[in-house]
Every structure is written in C-alpha cells, then in structure tokens.
Amino acid sequence: MTPRDTTLFCLGNLSTPTISATPGSVIPWNESVKILCGGAPESYLYQLEILGNSTYTVVEKKWGFQKTAEFVIKHMDTNTAGRYQCRYRKQYSWSVHSDALELVVTGLYDKPSLSTNGYLVVMPGVNVSLRCSSAHISFNRFSLSKERRAVLSQHQNGGRWGDFILGPVNLSFSGIYTCYSWYSSSPYVWSAPSDALQLVVTDTTNQDYTTENLIRMGVAGLPLVVLLVILAENWLGRQVLPKEDQQELPELSCSRQKTQTEWTFGLTPRVTR
C-alpha cells in the first residue's frame, strides 16, 4: 500500500473567527473592498479563502501576531466576486472556518427602477411594499439592498419585476434602499443599482408627548416669569424717579418770624401772635 501524505489539523478550543466587509458586501465594478478577519490576540497567521462548488482556494495569508487581519481586494470584478471564509492559526492549531461572506460585484447590467405604491414616511408597525422592475430585460432574481448590504432576494421566473414587503417596520428600518436585478446562474454578478429611495419610520406619538410636556412646563413657569417682571419693575421704580415726580417734591425752606424759627415744606410761615 502506497503511503499518502497527510496533514493533521488540531482545532483545539479556539473560538470561531468573524468575517466582515467594509464599506459593505455589495461592491461596484472595479472598486476596492476590505475584508476583516477577527481571531485571537495570540494568532500569528490568518488565511483568507474563496469557496468554489465543493472546494476552497487560498486567496492570501497574513503573518504576524494580531487580533484582526485585514485583506484588501483592490478591484472587484467577476473573478473576485463570490463566497469567502477565513480562519486563523494559534500555536499548533487551526481554528474552524468563519461563516461565509458573500461579496457581490454590481454594474454588469442596466439599472432597474425601485418604486412604492404607498408612503415613504410611515409609523412603526405597518408594512411597506417596494417593487424592483427592469424595463427591457427579463431577470429571474431581484435583490433589495439597504446602504450597500443585501437585505432581501426575490425569486421571479422570467419576470421583469420583484416585489418586497418590509415589515412590520420599526425605527431600524429607516434608511436608503436600492435594488438590483441578476440571474440565478451568476448569483454574485448584479446589475447597476437603481435610484435610491429613502424610507423614514417615525414615532410621532413620542414626539407628540414630548411637545405636550414642553408646553405644560412653559405654562407652569409663566406665572413665575410674570412675578419676576413685576418685582423688577417695582425695584427699578424705587431707584430712579421721573423728572415730573421730582418737580412735585416740596422744597425745604427756612423762615424766621420774630423769635420763633419754623421749618416748613413749601408752606407760608406762620406768624406768632
């Protein structure tokens, strides 16, 4: 029996690595993206892999003790789009693989249109209906994206539109949405993004309560303000008298009548008889 080379990977008790993409997982054609693989501080090797049908291919390795490794794809195209995973090595053991990260390249087909038959400013708890439609080409997949991250995919056999229902919505549903069209045979190659729609979920009930409380506080403090104004005016009035009031003050005069001296205030001296 011919011996075969074997490699033993000891997983040990290493934590599962994390994987993410910035600025997002939906990348326009020829733009760059960073892939972050998070492991442990004592990790000295990180490995990024792209998944095929049943195998994986090593894309890049990062050496050095670090908690997070950064991999950069400088130009997104049909060859770099796909499913990625990563793992790290600590001492003599490899960690398990991270969850799969799906990177999509966009801009291969004309952009669809995104519309709604309802309102874009809504209350929490309602459902919002959005439609992504292609004017000229039939696609069998449509995807809705919120701020460059895929949200929902809609299966459509040979159609030119896909409908999406969001809800019941809450405040976290607020944001900018776009949609894409694509074929199921090329799941990581999408059209250009549609024009954006901004959805606003607002809790007007809480806002009404806040406004009402502010009004109540203002009304409660109004008498105090009026009292302070009255006291201030009264104090100022005591400090400075108007000129006309000063003219009405009695003049202090001194008069002598024979042997008696009298002090009078603007009065005719009395004569002692």
Side-chain angles (χ1 to χ4, degrees):
M1 180 176 176
T2 304
R4 295 180 300 174
D5 293 335
T6 59
T7 302
L8 178 63
F9 295 101
C10 178
L11 299 180
N13 294 321
L14 302 181
S15 60
T16 302
T18 61
I19 189 169
S20 61
T22 182
S25 57
V26 181
I27 312 300
W29 173 273
N30 210 34
E31 289 194 10
S32 64
V33 60
K34 293 180 180 179
I35 299 177
L36 303 177
C37 182
E42 301 83 5
S43 307
Y44 66 89
L45 173 61
Y46 286 83
Q47 182 169 290
L48 180 67
E49 306 161 358
I50 187 169
L51 300 172
N53 293 330
S54 57
T55 60
Y56 65 85
T57 302
V58 176
V59 176
E60 189 178 355
K61 295 181 178 182
K62 288 283 187 178
W63 294 86
F65 291 99
Q66 51 191 327
K67 186 176 181 180
T68 302
E70 180 181 291
F71 301 90
V72 178
I73 299 177
K74 295 182 178 180
H75 303 285
M76 280 294 295
D77 55 28
T78 55
N79 294 321
T80 54
R83 298 175 69 235
Y84 288 82
Q85 64 183 15
C86 72
R87 58 177 177 166
Y88 63 89
R89 190 172 177 85
K90 178 180 175 182
Q91 295 180 350
Y92 304 104
S93 303
W94 279 104
S95 70
V96 297
H97 285 97
S98 67
D99 294 334
L101 171 68
E102 296 185 339
L103 290 186
V104 173
V105 61
T106 66
L108 276 295
Y109 318 110
D110 291 339
K111 67 179 182 181
S113 62
L114 182 62
S115 60
T116 179
N117 58 0
Y119 297 98
L120 291 175
V121 180
V122 297
M123 294 279 292
V126 303
N127 292 330
V128 178
S129 176
L130 300 176
R131 169 168 288 190
C132 185
S133 57
S134 175
H136 307 293
I137 305 176
S138 295
F139 294 89
N140 60 4
R141 294 289 189 279
F142 294 89
S143 288
L144 183 67
S145 174
K146 178 186 177 185
E147 297 164 1
R148 298 186 70 168
R149 297 186 182 276
V151 178
L152 294 172
S153 293
Q154 175 67 46
H155 184 140
Q156 198 76 17
N157 287 320
R160 291 186 176 178
W161 67 84
D163 293 326
F164 302 92
I165 304 297
L166 301 180
V169 299
N170 53 44
L171 298 181
S172 66
F173 280 73
S174 296
I176 298 175
Y177 290 83
T178 54
C179 76
Y180 303 83
S181 51
W182 47 283
Y183 296 104
S184 58
S185 58
S186 301
Y188 307 113
V189 179
W190 293 3
S191 69
S194 68
D195 293 334
L197 287 182
Q198 184 172 7
L199 177 65
V200 178
V201 182
T202 176
D203 193 350
T204 56
T205 303
N206 289 339
Q207 294 179 359
D208 291 342
Y209 286 146
T210 301
T211 303
E212 184 177 344
N213 289 335
L214 290 176
I215 294 175
R216 289 178 177 175
M217 292 174 61
V219 172
L222 185 59
L224 179 60
V225 174
V226 173
L227 179 60
L228 291 175
V229 171
I230 294 174
L231 292 175
E233 291 181 348
N234 186 39
W235 182 82
L236 290 174
R238 292 176 180 271
Q239 300 301 313
V240 180
L241 291 174
K243 291 183 178 181
E244 56 272 16
D245 292 343
Q246 294 178 4
Q247 294 175 357
E248 295 178 358
L249 287 175
E251 296 181 357
L252 182 63
S253 62
C254 176
S255 62
R256 294 177 179 270
Q257 294 291 335
K258 296 183 179 182
T259 62
Q260 183 178 0
T261 302
E262 294 185 353
W263 295 89
T264 62
F265 291 86
L267 300 177
T268 304
R270 290 185 301 174
V271 179
T272 304
R273 295 184 182 181

